[in-house]
Each structure stands twice: as C-alpha cells, then as structure tokens.
Amino acid sequence: MTQKPASRIVHINGWPGTGKLTVGRLLAKKLGARLIDNHMLLNPAEALFARSNPLHASLRGQIRRAVFDHAARADPAESFVVTDALSDDEQDSAMFSWYLDLAAARGAELIAVLLDCAPEENVRRLVSPGRSEQLKLTDTAKLQQLRANYKLLRGLAEHTVEIDTTKLSPEETAARILAHLRV
C-alpha cells in the first residue's frame, strides 16, 4: 500500500516582484497543494482602507486569523503553499510564528523558501503589466526603500532554501524548490 506524503507548508517569502505568486502557483499545482497568497489576505483591506487607517490592519488581522483557523482544520493530508513579504524585524518575526503554529497544529513539515533577485531585476519585474490590477506594489521608490532599510526574514524554519531568481524562469525556480523537497 502506498503511503500518502506528509502534509507540508511551503512558505515562500520575498520582496514584492520576486515571483512569489507565479512560483507559488506552479509549486501548488505540482504538489497538489492549496495556495494561500499574501494578496488573498491583504487585498480586501487594500480595497477598503488606506494602509495608514487602523481599520486596514484590523481587517487584515481578522482575515488572517480566519484563514489560518480554517487551514488548521483542513484535511490533515492537505498541503499548503503560502506567499509572504516578511522582513527581518520583530513584527514580521512574530507574523512568521503564525506559520510555525499552523505547522504544529497540522503536524506538518514547514519549509521556508526565500526568493530574491538583483535589485535592477526586481524593479523591472515590479512594473510588469497586471501587477497594479491585482493591487500589488508597483511603486519602485517604495521597493527601493524597503530593500535599503530592511532585510528579508530568513532562517526561522527547520528547513530553509534560498534562491536567487534573477536569471531563473518561474518554472526553473519551482523545480529547484521541488528538488529541495525531494518530491
């Protein structure tokens, strides 16, 4: 009898425009996993409130709690691919603890994937067609400010893989992640 693979949570973290959603979609399809994109959690608040409005953070928090609560109760064999843009600060480290807690609640393996690319390539990708319609960041000055003032969150999961996507296609990036997962 063939045993079904253990449940996994693959957390893809990276700056806006590094290919998280595109790679996440490919990876979820290959793994037969559910995709929880950070914009699924962010866009309802973005549509209703400016980021400076306290109701923005409140709504984001409520949506995140509801999604994570339901993901924790999903079929135990279900795997998830999640995307995020977390920096190496106290607030985002606390946010990553949600993924640790979700993995523990599900008895799932948590794999942290860090995607990055050269700053010039990142800017080029940030302004690609279709991003603004998805309420994604397209402000290159904001991206440059993020990259100058923060570092990406890394190393908080037992299994971590870092990939420079500068010269990789989304398919090549997904293949590298799959090779790391040994599926």
Side-chain angles (χ1 to χ4, degrees), residues 12-97:
I12 302 174
N13 188 38
W15 298 119
T18 54
K20 298 179 304 287
L21 179 55
T22 304
V23 170
R25 284 179 177 143
L26 292 167
L27 201 56
K29 185 175 181 180
K30 294 272 188 190
L31 294 172
R34 301 283 181 177
L35 176 65
I36 302 173
D37 175 47
N38 59 319
H39 286 278
M40 172 197 301
L41 307 175
L42 177 62
N43 285 0
E46 288 286 309
L48 295 173
F49 306 106
R51 284 197 184 211
S52 59
N53 186 324
L55 290 173
H56 183 280
S58 172
L59 180 55
R60 280 179 64 188
Q62 288 181 14
I63 292 167
R64 183 176 288 273
R65 273 189 290 284
V67 169
F68 275 61
D69 178 55
H70 284 76
R73 295 185 282 148
D75 182 323
E78 194 77 60
S79 289
F80 293 92
V81 173
V82 294
T83 67
D84 224 330
L86 300 178
S87 61
D88 191 8
D89 64 20
E90 190 175 316
Q91 181 179 345
D92 284 358
S93 293
M95 184 68 66
F96 188 81
S97 70

Side-chain angles (χ1 to χ4, degrees):
M1 180 158 90
T2 305
Q3 191 172 10
K4 199 168 189 178
S7 175
R8 289 188 175 111
I9 299 172
V10 180
H11 179 266
I12 302 174
N13 188 38
W15 298 119
T18 54
K20 298 179 304 287
L21 179 55
T22 304
V23 170
R25 284 179 177 143
L26 292 167
L27 201 56
K29 185 175 181 180
K30 294 272 188 190
L31 294 172
R34 301 283 181 177
L35 176 65
I36 302 173
D37 175 47
N38 59 319
H39 286 278
M40 172 197 301
L41 307 175
L42 177 62
N43 285 0
E46 288 286 309
L48 295 173
F49 306 106
R51 284 197 184 211
S52 59
N53 186 324
L55 290 173
H56 183 280
S58 172
L59 180 55
R60 280 179 64 188
Q62 288 181 14
I63 292 167
R64 183 176 288 273
R65 273 189 290 284
V67 169
F68 275 61
D69 178 55
H70 284 76
R73 295 185 282 148
D75 182 323
E78 194 77 60
S79 289
F80 293 92
V81 173
V82 294
T83 67
D84 224 330
L86 300 178
S87 61
D88 191 8
D89 64 20
E90 190 175 316
Q91 181 179 345
D92 284 358
S93 293
M95 184 68 66
F96 188 81
S97 70
W98 287 51
Y99 297 100
L100 294 167
D101 293 346
L102 179 60
R106 295 186 52 72
E109 176 185 25
L110 177 61
I111 301 97
V113 176
L114 186 73
L115 299 184
D116 201 357
C117 62
E120 316 77 52
E121 177 65 10
N122 200 175
V123 166
R124 187 188 69 74
R125 293 178 186 179
L126 194 77
V127 296
S128 63
R131 283 189 58 88
S132 63
E133 290 82 16
Q134 296 177 29
L135 301 179
K136 291 182 169 195
L137 180 70
T138 57
D139 181 343
T140 59
K142 178 66 175 172
L143 173 67
Q144 290 169 336
Q145 177 188 12
L146 289 170
R147 291 186 68 104
N149 295 320
Y150 297 96
K151 293 183 180 189
L152 288 171
L153 184 66
R154 58 176 31 93
L156 297 182
E158 187 175 330
H159 306 287
T160 302
V161 61
E162 296 185 25
I163 301 174
D164 182 336
T165 67
T166 303
K167 296 182 179 178
L168 298 176
S169 70
E171 292 78 12
E172 291 168 321
T173 303
R176 287 193 183 188
I177 296 168
L178 289 168
H180 180 76
L181 299 176
R182 295 173 189 79
V183 294

